[in-house]
Amino acid sequence: MFIDLKKQPKSESLLVVFFVTACLCLVFISYYDLTERPQERVMPGTGAVAVMTDGQKEARKRAEVIQKVLQEGKLELTPARYYRTGEEAQT
Amino acid sequence: MTQPIPAAAVSGAAPAIQCTLCPRGCTMAEYERGRCKVRVNKGGQLYTLVYGKPCAVHIDPIEKKPFFHFLPATAILSIATAGCCLECKYCQNWEISQAWPEETINQDLSPEAVVKGAVASRCRSIAYTYTEPTIFYEYMYDTSVLARRMGLRNVSVTCGYINPEPLRELCQVLDAANVDLKGFTDEFYVVNCGGRLQPVMDCILTMKKLGVHVEITNLVVPTKNDNMDLIRQMCAWVVQNTGADTPLHFSRFSPDYRLRQLPPTPIETLVKARDIALAEGLRYVYVGNVPGEDYENTICPGCKKPVIRRMGYRVVDFEIDRETSQCLYCHYKIAGVWK
């Protein structure tokens, strides 16, 4: 132990415990905050800044998965019906 | 949460498209999939990943679907692919309905092969079931067209979450549907299923209007949708809109997927729901997933005698004239498709 609590006055021991707990809470909160926070990245060639959330990263990963699955011939693409394209799709 | 970045903004790829098959209306960037997990945008065009790739193929008794007033005691070839447009917390088939199609073990089975298999197995009909058939719409539709040509019937076991246009087209080749009316509040659908109530009601009405034989199933989940006032309202709506002859099945919930902490539905709750439905005027009300009880029998509304006695999925007694649909005891016309 760096600090022997038994040798400290009671109020100081409490202070140490409080400080350590607060630090742990901060670490915990920042971890979850960071993982949920959208991360900025510059799009190559455009200079535009896009915001990537975890959900988007997951979507990107899925896109890679689907390309791999198709290359392996596990699944195939068959034209589907009932969809809208262009500006209609954004509404 | 922010919306996904349109793929074009990221890579100069195809623009986003919007699927209009089901009321979710997913907008997808390049290589992105809808919430159903099986419809994908590639190059600005929508594709399905599960055409001819069923992950479940079985021959079942039609009573298992459940259909109690449609070709009873016949075998039915049942197919499903991975994926679903809803995310019910209590899904009984979540291993395939909530799976990605690359995660399930799929067969290569063209529509022609499905129909051939059904004929060879002496099935009278094909069921699109287990998961939500809407998400494999093209596969279901093409198979149904071929099935009809071979004299087979098509039935769908569905959550009814489909837009009017594709539904109307599907109804041209659909003979019967068992629609899962999961609850009778929008809140129930939003919280427990990731959907809305109104499109399901609209689907039932459209099917009925277009001459599809409709049966309704309500899976009663303890504390979630077992409010008897709401069950009464639901039954009244069914009587008013699809008629007192609509068969209604109250199914027993068994703890599964994300609602494992709940107990199975008490049988008394199901019996109470059945009594309410009968009091509201429905003529054919059943209690499902409770084998060994009398609540699976069809009682003639005319003479009150059992005209179809069932034991589990087996029909042990059938007292209806298949030609005239009449009760053999009192000649009351029993609603249904019997031949």
Side-chain angles (χ1 to χ4, degrees):
Chain A
M1 284 288 286
F2 296 109
I3 303 165
D4 188 351
L5 291 176
K6 283 178 189 166
K7 289 180 186 168
Q8 302 295 321
K10 201 178 177 186
S11 59
E12 280 184 27
S13 303
L14 278 173
L15 203 65
V16 170
V17 170
F18 175 77
F19 181 73
V20 171
T21 313
C23 284
L24 284 173
C25 285
L26 272 175
V27 169
F28 186 77
I29 290 165
S30 13
Y31 172 76
Y32 278 97
D33 191 36
L34 280 175
T35 50
E36 288 300 315
R37 189 187 298 161
Q39 291 166 12
E40 291 185 349
R41 71 184 199 119
V42 179
M43 294 295 109
T46 63
V49 176
V51 178
M52 295 278 286
T53 61
D54 281 356
Q56 289 161 349
K57 276 191 240 162
E58 174 66 19
R60 190 170 286 267
K61 214 187 283 173
R62 277 286 161 197
E64 287 163 13
V65 168
I66 204 169
Q67 282 165 316
K68 193 170 166 243
V69 164
L70 292 172
Q71 275 165 11
E72 288 169 354
K74 269 190 187 172
L75 295 170
E76 292 154 16
L77 292 176
T78 306
R81 295 156 62 197
Y82 296 111
Y83 65 99
R84 283 197 285 236
T85 54
E87 281 180 14
E88 276 185 320
Q90 309 295 339
T91 55
Chain B
M1 285 289 280
T2 42
Q3 291 299 306
I5 310 167
V10 178
S11 61
I17 58 173
Q18 185 180 26
C19 181
T20 56
L21 179 60
C22 92
R24 290 197 96 140
C26 299
T27 301
M28 292 166 253
E30 174 85 340
Y31 277 117
E32 200 178 349
R33 289 187 240 185
R35 298 291 290 266
C36 63
K37 302 182 175 76
V38 303
R39 297 170 83 78
V40 60
N41 172 8
K42 181 174 181 279
Q45 279 200 304
L46 187 65
Y47 290 88
T48 167
L49 286 163
V50 290
Y51 190 97
K53 301 278 182 188
C55 63
V57 182
H58 300 288
I59 295 170
D60 291 327
I62 199 164
E63 283 73 19
K64 190 179 173 183
K65 302 296 104 192
F67 278 102
F68 279 11
H69 288 239
F70 188 84
L71 302 179
T74 59
I76 188 162
L77 183 71
S78 307
I79 58 169
T81 72
C84 187
C85 49
L86 294 184
E87 292 143 12
C88 303
K89 289 178 181 170
Y90 53 92
C91 182
Q92 312 278 298
N93 284 332
W94 62 273
E95 290 99 333
I96 52 175
S97 74
Q98 301 304 315
W100 298 84
E102 60 269 29
E103 292 170 349
T104 51
I105 300 167
N106 306 320
Q107 298 186 32
D108 276 312
L109 210 61
S110 65
E112 292 81 2
V114 174
V115 174
K116 227 178 195 178
V119 172
S121 319
R122 296 185 181 179
C123 292
R124 294 277 306 276
S125 38
I126 297 172
Y128 310 96
T129 179
Y130 304 132
T131 57
E132 175 46 45
T134 299
I135 59 111
F136 56 93
Y137 184 89
E138 293 77 12
Y139 184 38
M140 167 170 58
Y141 184 85
D142 290 355
T143 308
S144 299
V145 170
L146 291 177
R148 274 274 178 96
R149 279 187 209 150
M150 295 300 289
L152 298 172
R153 312 279 180 93
N154 296 297
V155 314
S156 162
V157 181
T158 175
C159 64
Y161 217 58
I162 180 168
N163 276 332
E165 198 188 338
L167 174 62
R168 276 194 291 270
E169 192 177 2
L170 179 66
C171 285
Q172 292 171 15
V173 287
L174 195 63
D175 296 286
N178 189 313
V179 184
D180 201 359
L181 186 51
K182 295 171 187 288
F184 209 60
T185 62
D186 200 43
E187 189 197 356
F188 177 83
Y189 267 89
V190 171
V191 173
N192 296 288
C193 309
R196 309 299 296 259
L197 171 62
Q198 192 60 48
V200 182
M201 294 161 83
D202 293 343
C203 169
I204 292 171
L205 297 181
T206 304
M207 283 177 162
K208 194 74 191 168
K209 199 171 145 195
L210 295 178
V212 175
H213 169 82
V214 174
E215 301 196 14
I216 294 173
T217 294
N218 176 234
L219 193 135
V220 184
V221 186
T223 72
K224 300 285 180 187
N225 64 352
D226 60 350
N227 180 306
M228 292 299 152
D229 281 338
L230 289 173
I231 287 178
R232 189 184 306 279
Q233 285 174 34
M234 181 183 75
C235 296
W237 181 85
V238 172
V239 172
Q240 272 176 14
N241 292 280
T242 65
D245 281 338
T246 309
L248 176 62
H249 305 257
F250 288 110
S251 263
R252 191 182 195 196
F253 158 83
S254 63
D256 214 333
Y257 195 34
R258 292 182 183 168
L259 291 186
R260 286 171 203 264
Q261 75 280 13
L262 293 181
T265 320
I267 294 172
E268 310 84 70
T269 306
L270 296 162
V271 173
K272 211 168 161 188
R274 178 180 176 268
D275 291 345
I276 286 173
L278 291 170
E280 285 299 317
L282 282 163
R283 297 192 181 103
Y284 309 104
V285 188
Y286 304 97
V287 170
N289 295 345
V290 187
E293 299 287 339
D294 281 344
Y295 308 120
E296 292 177 320
N297 296 338
T298 301
I299 308 296
C300 172
C303 62
K304 308 294 178 202
K305 287 182 182 163
V307 280
I308 307 177
R309 286 198 306 114
R310 301 178 179 88
M311 199 166 281
Y313 300 134
R314 265 187 334 119
V315 172
V316 291
D317 204 2
F318 188 81
E319 306 289 350
I320 298 171
D321 185 327
R322 285 190 188 264
E323 295 298 321
T324 62
S325 304
Q326 287 176 339
C327 165
L328 289 183
Y329 301 110
C330 71
H331 306 296
Y332 184 95
K333 196 171 180 191
I334 311 287
V337 178
W338 309 109
K339 62 168 186 169

